[in-house]
PDB file of all heavy atoms in Angstrom:
ATOM      1  N   SER A  20    -109.920   0.791 123.684  1.00 84.00           N
ATOM      2  CA  SER A  20    -109.758  -0.109 122.550  1.00 84.00           C
ATOM      3  C   SER A  20    -110.948  -1.067 122.482  1.00 84.00           C
ATOM      4  O   SER A  20    -111.442  -1.549 123.491  1.00 84.00           O
ATOM      5  CB  SER A  20    -108.455  -0.887 122.705  1.00 84.00           C
ATOM      6  OG  SER A  20    -108.277  -1.753 121.619  1.00 84.00           O
ATOM      7  N   LEU A  21    -111.412  -1.347 121.260  1.00 90.00           N
ATOM      8  CA  LEU A  21    -112.581  -2.188 121.050  1.00 90.00           C
ATOM      9  C   LEU A  21    -112.216  -3.450 120.272  1.00 90.00           C
ATOM     10  O   LEU A  21    -111.398  -3.411 119.359  1.00 90.00           O
ATOM     11  CB  LEU A  21    -113.643  -1.414 120.272  1.00 90.00           C
ATOM     12  CG  LEU A  21    -114.098  -0.099 120.882  1.00 90.00           C
ATOM     13  CD1 LEU A  21    -114.935   0.680 119.880  1.00 90.00           C
ATOM     14  CD2 LEU A  21    -114.880  -0.350 122.147  1.00 90.00           C
ATOM     15  N   VAL A  22    -112.854  -4.546 120.625  1.00 92.00           N
ATOM     16  CA  VAL A  22    -112.731  -5.805 119.898  1.00 92.00           C
ATOM     17  C   VAL A  22    -114.069  -6.044 119.225  1.00 92.00           C
ATOM     18  O   VAL A  22    -115.120  -5.912 119.855  1.00 92.00           O
ATOM     19  CB  VAL A  22    -112.412  -6.980 120.845  1.00 92.00           C
ATOM     20  CG1 VAL A  22    -112.361  -8.294 120.079  1.00 92.00           C
ATOM     21  CG2 VAL A  22    -111.111  -6.740 121.569  1.00 92.00           C
ATOM     22  N   GLY A  23    -114.023  -6.385 117.930  1.00 92.00           N
ATOM     23  CA  GLY A  23    -115.259  -6.590 117.195  1.00 92.00           C
ATOM     24  C   GLY A  23    -115.316  -7.932 116.515  1.00 92.00           C
ATOM     25  O   GLY A  23    -114.287  -8.558 116.246  1.00 92.00           O
ATOM     26  N   PHE A  24    -116.538  -8.372 116.257  1.00 94.00           N
ATOM     27  CA  PHE A  24    -116.785  -9.632 115.565  1.00 94.00           C
ATOM     28  C   PHE A  24    -117.822  -9.380 114.476  1.00 94.00           C
ATOM     29  O   PHE A  24    -118.807  -8.678 114.706  1.00 94.00           O
ATOM     30  CB  PHE A  24    -117.333 -10.694 116.527  1.00 94.00           C
ATOM     31  CG  PHE A  24    -116.431 -10.966 117.685  1.00 94.00           C
ATOM     32  CD1 PHE A  24    -116.621 -10.310 118.888  1.00 94.00           C
ATOM     33  CD2 PHE A  24    -115.374 -11.867 117.575  1.00 94.00           C
ATOM     34  CE1 PHE A  24    -115.784 -10.547 119.969  1.00 94.00           C
ATOM     35  CE2 PHE A  24    -114.530 -12.103 118.652  1.00 94.00           C
ATOM     36  CZ  PHE A  24    -114.737 -11.446 119.852  1.00 94.00           C
ATOM     37  N   ASP A  25    -117.579  -9.944 113.297  1.00 92.00           N
ATOM     38  CA  ASP A  25    -118.606  -9.912 112.265  1.00 92.00           C
ATOM     39  C   ASP A  25    -118.597 -11.224 111.498  1.00 92.00           C
ATOM     40  O   ASP A  25    -117.769 -12.100 111.753  1.00 92.00           O
ATOM     41  CB  ASP A  25    -118.484  -8.685 111.362  1.00 92.00           C
ATOM     42  CG  ASP A  25    -117.310  -8.718 110.401  1.00 92.00           C
ATOM     43  OD1 ASP A  25    -116.448  -9.609 110.512  1.00 92.00           O
ATOM     44  OD2 ASP A  25    -117.255  -7.852 109.525  1.00 92.00           O
ATOM     45  N   PHE A  26    -119.537 -11.380 110.598  1.00 94.00           N
ATOM     46  CA  PHE A  26    -119.734 -12.612 109.844  1.00 94.00           C
ATOM     47  C   PHE A  26    -119.980 -12.221 108.402  1.00 94.00           C
ATOM     48  O   PHE A  26    -120.856 -11.404 108.110  1.00 94.00           O
ATOM     49  CB  PHE A  26    -120.945 -13.349 110.427  1.00 94.00           C
ATOM     50  CG  PHE A  26    -121.255 -14.665 109.774  1.00 94.00           C
ATOM     51  CD1 PHE A  26    -120.311 -15.687 109.748  1.00 94.00           C
ATOM     52  CD2 PHE A  26    -122.494 -14.896 109.214  1.00 94.00           C
ATOM     53  CE1 PHE A  26    -120.605 -16.916 109.168  1.00 94.00           C
ATOM     54  CE2 PHE A  26    -122.806 -16.116 108.633  1.00 94.00           C
ATOM     55  CZ  PHE A  26    -121.852 -17.129 108.609  1.00 94.00           C
ATOM     56  N   LEU A  27    -119.172 -12.758 107.502  1.00 93.00           N
ATOM     57  CA  LEU A  27    -119.296 -12.410 106.101  1.00 93.00           C
ATOM     58  C   LEU A  27    -118.966 -13.618 105.227  1.00 93.00           C
ATOM     59  O   LEU A  27    -118.389 -14.602 105.713  1.00 93.00           O
ATOM     60  CB  LEU A  27    -118.406 -11.222 105.745  1.00 93.00           C
ATOM     61  CG  LEU A  27    -116.903 -11.366 105.905  1.00 93.00           C
ATOM     62  CD1 LEU A  27    -116.216 -10.328 105.049  1.00 93.00           C
ATOM     63  CD2 LEU A  27    -116.509 -11.157 107.343  1.00 93.00           C
ATOM     64  N   PRO A  28    -119.326 -13.567 103.941  1.00 95.00           N
ATOM     65  CA  PRO A  28    -119.027 -14.699 103.071  1.00 95.00           C
ATOM     66  C   PRO A  28    -117.523 -14.857 102.853  1.00 95.00           C
ATOM     67  O   PRO A  28    -116.792 -13.870 102.779  1.00 95.00           O
ATOM     68  CB  PRO A  28    -119.700 -14.334 101.747  1.00 95.00           C
ATOM     69  CG  PRO A  28    -120.566 -13.168 102.028  1.00 95.00           C
ATOM     70  CD  PRO A  28    -120.065 -12.516 103.275  1.00 95.00           C
ATOM     71  N   VAL A  29    -117.097 -16.088 102.748  1.00 95.00           N
ATOM     72  CA  VAL A  29    -115.731 -16.350 102.313  1.00 95.00           C
ATOM     73  C   VAL A  29    -115.671 -15.909 100.852  1.00 95.00           C
ATOM     74  O   VAL A  29    -116.585 -16.208 100.077  1.00 95.00           O
ATOM     75  CB  VAL A  29    -115.400 -17.860 102.446  1.00 95.00           C
ATOM     76  CG1 VAL A  29    -114.055 -18.174 101.815  1.00 95.00           C
ATOM     77  CG2 VAL A  29    -115.438 -18.290 103.899  1.00 95.00           C
TER      78      VAL A  29
END
Side-chain angles (χ1 to χ4, degrees):
S20 180
L21 304 169
V22 177
F24 302 95
D25 72 351
F26 182 59
L27 62 159
V29 172

